[in-house]
Amino acid sequence: AFLRDYLAPRETRHGVLVNVFGAGILITGNSGVGKSEAALELIKRGHQLVADDVVDICRVSDNRLIGTCPEMVRHFMEIRGIGIIDVRRIFGTGAVKPTEKIDLIINLRKWEEGKAYDRMGEETNFEEIMGISVPSLEVPIRPGRNLAGIVEIATMKNRQMRYGQNSSRDFMTQFDAKMTELSQQS
């Protein structure tokens, strides 16, 4: 196992990797969009930081990616206006984790007025990393959004989707049945 991991293909990505409810969530987006702030709020809620700003990704099998943080910056976060913080010292050793698999990618994007965003979530999008397709979401960001809560809900929804449960599909099925019922009554 050591040699498999040591010799596995690697790449580095800009983003934040956190463990949320036991799932590895890679948060990406342009510089300054709020990745680290979202991770900080998740840590305050009891989740774990794996990497901030620089995520080293290792392909350990045909369907598994593992993320870690370069040793030099491990346990540290940069919060604009505050500076560098040591998450392990502030929140304790339980707030950090050395590695985590990557189960979901959440791309934070600044809100664009007039752009059509997916409101139903019926389709699952994927992003490819080293030949492995990882489920991904694009989340529009604007002031006042609770990013930590959104990440938690996205994590839970992704887990449900993996087990074949699709809330959007179920909603549309109920909606269509009700519309059919109403049209037959007229």
Side-chain angles (χ1 to χ4, degrees):
F2 170 78
L3 283 176
R4 177 200 66 209
D5 293 351
Y6 184 76
L7 298 172
R10 300 176 180 281
E11 77 175 46
T12 300
R13 293 260 175 129
H14 175 71
V16 175
L17 181 59
V18 287
N19 174 324
V20 178
F21 301 129
I25 310 301
L26 178 61
I27 304 171
T28 64
N30 291 335
S31 184
V33 77
K35 300 177 296 294
S36 296
E37 289 84 353
L40 183 60
E41 184 59 33
L42 287 163
I43 293 162
K44 288 171 51 182
R45 291 175 179 223
H47 304 293
Q48 297 171 301
L49 174 71
V50 178
D52 179 57
D53 203 38
V54 179
V55 182
D56 286 338
I57 302 171
C58 176
R59 180 182 171 166
V60 295
S61 72
D62 288 341
N63 62 357
R64 189 173 169 113
L65 298 167
I66 300 291
T68 190
C69 186
E71 191 169 337
M72 186 174 138
V73 293
R74 191 166 291 148
H75 312 303
F76 292 100
M77 291 183 77
E78 176 205 351
I79 305 296
R80 280 186 173 76
I82 295 174
I84 305 295
I85 64 169
D86 185 333
V87 172
R88 185 176 56 183
R89 284 196 179 142
I90 292 174
F91 296 99
T93 56
V96 295
K97 191 171 182 190
T99 64
E100 183 58 73
K101 65 194 174 305
I102 298 175
D103 296 304
L104 176 66
I105 301 169
I106 298 179
N107 298 297
L108 302 181
R109 302 284 183 250
K110 288 190 178 179
W111 181 278
E112 294 178 37
E113 202 62 46
K115 180 176 178 180
Y117 291 103
D118 179 12
R119 295 179 54 152
M120 296 300 292
E122 290 182 85
E123 294 182 21
T124 302
N125 295 312
F126 293 90
E127 190 172 320
E128 193 169 297
I129 300 176
M130 290 187 281
I132 297 177
S133 293
V134 181
S136 70
L137 299 170
E138 181 175 309
V139 176
I141 300 306
R142 62 182 179 189
R145 293 202 76 186
N146 178 349
L147 294 182
I150 290 169
V151 171
E152 287 176 331
I153 294 298
T155 302
M156 290 185 276
K157 182 178 181 184
N158 185 58
R159 180 174 289 142
Q160 285 184 325
M161 298 278 283
R162 273 198 334 248
Y163 293 117
Q165 299 170 351
N166 186 324
S167 301
S168 300
R169 182 192 62 221
D170 295 346
F171 172 79
M172 289 307 294
T173 300
Q174 289 177 6
F175 181 80
D176 290 343
K178 187 64 172 178
M179 293 305 291
T180 301
E181 177 187 320
L182 290 173
S183 69
Q184 291 173 350
Q185 291 175 357
S186 327

